[in-house]
Amino acid sequence: MTESPEFSTLLRLIDERSAAFRSAVAAAPGLDVPVPSCPEWTVFDLVQHLGTGQRWWAAIVAAGPAGAPPAKDAAEVPRELEALLAWYAESNELLLSALREAGPERECWAWWRAGVSPANAWGVARRRVHEVLVHTYDAQLAAGAVQPMPADVAIDGVAEFLDTCNSTPAAWPHEAATIHYHATEGRSWLLALDGTGAWPAPLTDDAAPASASATGTAEQLLLFVWGRLTLSDLKIAGDRQVFEQLIAWEPEE
C-alpha cells in the first residue's frame, strides 16, 4: 500500500478489519472484560464507541460540505453479544454505503480540515481504516489473542496519523524540532515542529539530523503514536524530551 491508497482499497480494508474486529469481540471472555489498552473501557464500551463512530461518519459523509457535524446517534446499543455484533455490522455497512454513494472526492466536514489530509470521503475512509485497525488490536488484546497487523496497512497508518492527528497550524510552544520515524520495513517519515505548527516534512539526503528519532516495526510505530505503546517499546535516539513534549501537547487552533 502507498501513502495514498485507492478509495476501493480503503473500503475493502474497512470491511476486512471490521470482520477481524467482530471476531475478536466474539472471542473475548465477555463484554464486561476490561480493555487493557483503553483504561476504564470494557469490550462493550469499545464496540459501542467504534459502531457509533461508523454511524456518525456515515451521516457526515452523507451530509456533504458542512460547517459542523451532525449529532451522534443516541439510540440504545444492545448489550447481548449476538445482537451487539449485528448492530456493529449494520453500523459498518452504513458507513460503507455512504462512502460508496459519495465517491472519494465528495467534500464533508472533518476535524482535520486544517491539516494535510483532505476533508472528503477519501480522507474519512482512510481515517476509519486505521480507527478500526487499532481498535481491532484493542479487542484482540482484551481477548488475549493479538494478531499481527498487515504491514502495508500499518505503514499507511503511521503516515495517516501524521497527516491528521500530527498536522496542525497551531504554533509549537517549544524550541523548533524535527522527529524522524523509521519503520524496519524500510519506510520513514519526518515531522517538523515550529512556529507554523506541526507538519509532515519531506525526507531529503541533505537534511540536517532530526532532533529525535524512533525506530520500530510499522505496527510498533502505529501503536506508539496511537498511545498503545510507550517510548520504552521503541529504539529512541536524540532528544527524548521532544517526544515527551509532543505527547503532552494539546494544541488549540
Side-chain angles (χ1 to χ4, degrees):
M1 183 186 294
T2 67
E3 291 189 6
S4 297
E6 294 290 333
F7 190 61
S8 59
T9 299
L10 295 173
L11 299 188
R12 173 179 58 81
L13 288 171
I14 290 173
D15 206 26
E16 289 179 357
R17 291 298 92 200
S18 287
F21 176 75
R22 294 194 304 272
S23 294
V25 171
L31 294 177
D32 293 331
V33 171
V35 179
S37 48
C38 299
E40 300 183 4
W41 274 15
T42 64
V43 171
F44 171 83
D45 296 327
L46 186 64
V47 180
Q48 182 180 45
H49 166 77
L50 191 55
T52 300
Q54 301 297 68
R55 289 169 181 260
W56 189 52
W57 283 104
I60 289 170
V61 169
K72 290 188 177 181
D73 187 348
E76 186 174 351
V77 179
R79 289 186 169 271
E80 188 273 326
L81 177 60
E82 186 174 345
L84 180 65
L85 292 175
W87 172 85
Y88 176 77
E90 180 185 64
S91 304
N92 197 62
E93 186 53 41
L94 287 171
L95 174 63
L96 289 172
S97 295
L99 290 168
R100 292 189 195 103
E101 183 175 344
E105 302 298 329
R106 184 174 189 179
E107 294 183 357
C108 61
W109 176 89
W111 54 259
W112 59 82
R113 180 173 293 277
V116 171
S117 191
N120 60 18
W122 182 88
V124 171
R126 191 181 185 209
R127 170 108 285 257
R128 297 314 291 176
V129 165
H130 301 298
E131 185 86 16
V132 180
L133 178 68
V134 173
H135 285 322
T136 297
Y137 165 84
D138 295 329
Q140 291 175 345
L141 194 63
V146 175
Q147 301 295 318
M149 292 179 180
D152 59 337
V153 185
I155 285 171
D156 184 66
V158 178
E160 193 276 340
F161 193 91
L162 299 185
D163 289 346
T164 53
C165 299
N166 280 160
S167 180
T168 174
W172 174 245
H174 308 287
E175 182 178 350
T178 52
I179 292 178
H180 182 199
Y181 295 99
H182 177 68
T184 55
E185 292 88 349
R187 297 296 298 274
S188 295
W189 305 268
L190 190 68
L191 180 68
L193 304 158
D194 58 27
T196 69
W199 307 106
L203 281 163
T204 59
D205 293 337
D206 59 351
S211 308
S213 67
T215 301
T217 66
E219 178 175 339
Q220 287 174 321
L221 291 174
L222 179 63
L223 292 174
F224 169 70
V225 296
W226 274 76
R228 270 56 176 181
L229 296 182
T230 67
L231 289 169
S232 62
D233 296 305
L234 303 171
K235 180 181 178 182
I236 304 298
D239 187 355
R240 190 183 185 95
Q241 185 181 28
V242 175
F243 282 110
E244 295 169 347
Q245 290 171 337
L246 180 60
I247 292 168
W249 188 33
E250 296 182 359
E252 294 183 5
E253 297 180 9

